[in-house]
Amino acid sequence: MAAKKLSETFSKAVIDEVHKWGLMKQNGVSLRYMMEFGSKPTERNLLLSSQFLHKELPIRIARRAIELESLPYGLSSKPAVLQVRDWYVDSFRDLRAFPEIKDTKDELAFTQMIKMIKVRHNNVVPTMALGVQQMKKDLSPKILQPVDEIHQFLDRFYMSRIGIRMLIGQHVALHDPNPAPDCVGYIHTKMSPMEVARNASEDARCICMREYGSAPNIDIYGDPNFTFPYVPTHLHLMVFELVKNSLRAVQERFMDSDKMAPPVRIIVADGLEDVTIKISDEGGGIPRSGLPKIFTYLYSTAKNPLDEYSDLGSSDAVTMAGYGYGLPISRLYARYFGGDLQIISMEGYGTDAYLHLSRLGDSQEPLP
């Protein structure tokens, strides 16, 4: 499909409306609010939730659509980015075309629609990554070092996407007739970080085994009975990413050595404000000059899987390396609920990743 300018694909009325909604104020919600509100998914609450989303989602989506139009270095005109922009404008149009939500029947129809929107946007991250690749090919190598604007844009863009998907997913999940015990939509009110860390590291270990034929051991320390409210899928994604990086580093460092590969160690600590998960490896570390690069979207030490499979359909194949977005996106997931991710490295020895999660659950979503 030939990439077209916005004005060729969409009517002026739609474009004007996107610009109008993009100027409206976004309203953030906190984990605690989502939890308290969702703990009683009555028809009235679901109605209120859908009315909030009916107004909130078009604002957030419009902002991203506008930003996708005006990116530096020719990124906006890359075919992959135009594709993403069209998804955003289509979703905006669907939301705006939906009439006022007055009763449960409207609410259920609205829920079906936003479910579709979430599916439409499933491949946004690999597609944007492809757009950035397309841009890199056209840029002179000199420019590539300080592409801060692109980096800041992608941080805002992906952070906003995490929020939109959380709001839709949370609303849809509240319709589950038999939710798991202690679960409120996506939120587990008694999540054990030890258990999530164990599952995520097992998953990462399986992939390492598949790729290398063997995998270092993983030792986990902490209180197995400790729980706190959080979104298990978010934590799983972050720990999986960090452990995968550690396994890869250790595996590559000890592959041809007659020494036993040392284990990756995970320590879960529960403080008053934060739950911190530290993931330590002896994989040789990262030189200090390389540390700033690990959080950028324009850099991966690994081969870009998008070059090998230019067909995006196969982008769900998880590789050990991925397209270099694992760390910056994991950090956004941590920050979304008021936490953070820090990487500290000793070159010649190994790396420690500190994943801080806010225990209080009362920080507002960061709204880019």
Side-chain angles (χ1 to χ4, degrees):
M1 149 188 133
K4 293 198 175 92
K5 294 236 303 285
L6 198 55
S7 54
E8 296 168 28
T9 319
F10 298 99
S11 71
K12 184 175 182 312
V14 170
I15 298 164
D16 289 348
E17 195 159 6
V18 167
H19 283 273
K20 187 182 100 184
W21 280 74
L23 295 171
M24 296 184 195
K25 186 180 169 301
Q26 309 175 88
N27 292 287
V29 287
S30 66
L31 180 72
R32 177 178 294 169
Y33 176 79
M34 284 189 228
M35 195 162 77
E36 286 168 2
F37 183 86
S39 61
K40 312 174 278 295
T42 56
E43 289 196 358
R44 182 174 173 277
N45 272 1
L46 290 171
L47 197 60
L48 287 170
S49 169
S50 61
Q51 288 163 343
F52 167 72
L53 294 180
H54 191 220
K55 184 166 187 319
E56 181 66 18
L57 293 174
I59 299 175
R60 297 194 186 190
I61 288 173
R63 288 189 165 213
R64 303 285 75 87
I66 293 167
E67 226 183 344
L68 283 164
E69 276 288 272
S70 53
L71 299 174
Y73 305 108
L75 185 54
S76 285
S77 60
K78 297 291 169 266
V81 178
L82 291 165
Q83 167 76 74
V84 171
R85 182 210 62 196
D86 288 353
W87 288 334
Y88 273 75
V89 180
D90 281 336
S91 296
F92 175 82
R93 208 166 44 177
D94 288 349
L95 283 158
R96 292 295 302 131
F98 198 92
E100 203 188 328
I101 302 168
K102 298 196 181 70
D103 54 28
T104 297
K105 188 166 129 303
D106 297 346
E107 190 274 323
L108 289 171
F110 178 78
T111 302
Q112 281 310 319
M113 180 195 65
I114 59 176
K115 227 184 196 163
M116 296 294 294
I117 287 179
K118 189 162 178 268
V119 171
R120 173 187 289 149
H121 291 250
N122 275 351
N123 271 329
V124 161
V125 177
T127 311
M128 280 305 286
L130 191 60
V132 172
Q133 289 299 108
Q134 291 165 345
M135 175 196 78
K136 275 167 78 169
K137 285 202 177 76
D138 299 348
L139 280 187
S140 73
K142 284 196 294 293
I143 303 185
L144 259 188
Q145 278 16 71
V147 193
D148 283 347
E149 295 149 273
I150 300 268
H151 179 73
Q152 286 156 9
F153 157 72
L154 288 168
D155 262 352
R156 287 193 302 274
F157 183 75
Y158 291 135
M159 180 64 95
S160 167
R161 178 173 188 269
I162 291 170
I164 291 169
R165 293 181 82 76
M166 178 71 201
L167 291 182
I168 294 179
Q170 182 65 6
H171 179 82
V172 170
L174 290 178
H175 287 77
D176 184 354
N178 9 317
D182 304 315
C183 283
V184 176
Y186 273 10
I187 303 162
H188 192 314
T189 58
K190 299 195 169 98
M191 181 194 78
S192 153
M194 285 276 288
E195 190 187 338
V196 177
R198 189 169 292 116
N199 292 334
S201 24
E202 275 313 300
D203 287 358
R205 225 173 150 257
C206 287
I207 285 186
C208 185
M209 294 289 280
R210 199 174 70 203
E211 204 116 319
Y212 296 103
S214 65
N217 284 329
I218 299 172
D219 299 337
I220 305 186
Y221 306 92
D223 173 1
N225 298 316
F226 166 68
T227 66
F228 77 115
Y230 203 72
V231 178
T233 48
H234 288 192
L235 181 57
H236 188 285
L237 179 144
M238 297 184 278
V239 174
F240 172 78
E241 186 58 40
L242 294 166
V243 171
K244 195 178 69 167
N245 289 348
S246 285
L247 291 173
R248 183 171 147 227
V250 172
Q251 195 60 32
E252 303 211 330
R253 188 181 188 198
F254 287 87
M255 208 143 45
D256 305 319
S257 147
D258 36 12
K259 289 209 222 26
M260 247 308 258
V264 170
R265 286 190 300 280
I266 302 179
I267 299 158
V268 179
D270 43 299
L272 291 173
E273 286 179 25
D274 281 348
V275 176
T276 302
I277 299 178
K278 176 172 125 173
I279 296 168
S280 301
D281 68 62
E282 294 172 39
I286 303 162
R288 219 155 33 115
S289 63
L291 271 174
K293 293 183 187 157
I294 63 176
F295 283 111
T296 74
Y297 297 97
L298 295 160
Y299 169 86
S300 169
T301 48
K303 299 197 300 288
N304 186 326
L306 294 174
D307 290 341
E308 299 162 45
Y309 325 104
S310 53
D311 167 33
L312 279 174
S314 55
S315 62
D316 355 298
V318 182
T319 63
M320 275 304 271
Y323 28 76
Y325 281 25
L327 282 174
I329 284 185
S330 295
R331 184 167 67 177
L332 296 178
Y333 271 99
R335 288 177 175 173
Y336 177 69
F337 283 129
D340 209 353
L341 168 61
Q342 289 167 306
I343 306 279
I344 299 186
S345 188
M346 278 172 82
E347 191 186 5
Y349 179 74
T351 302
D352 289 346
Y354 290 85
L355 181 56
H356 303 282
L357 310 170
S358 168
R359 258 193 95 155
L360 310 172
D362 49 10
S363 73
Q364 289 286 325
E365 294 176 275
L367 292 175

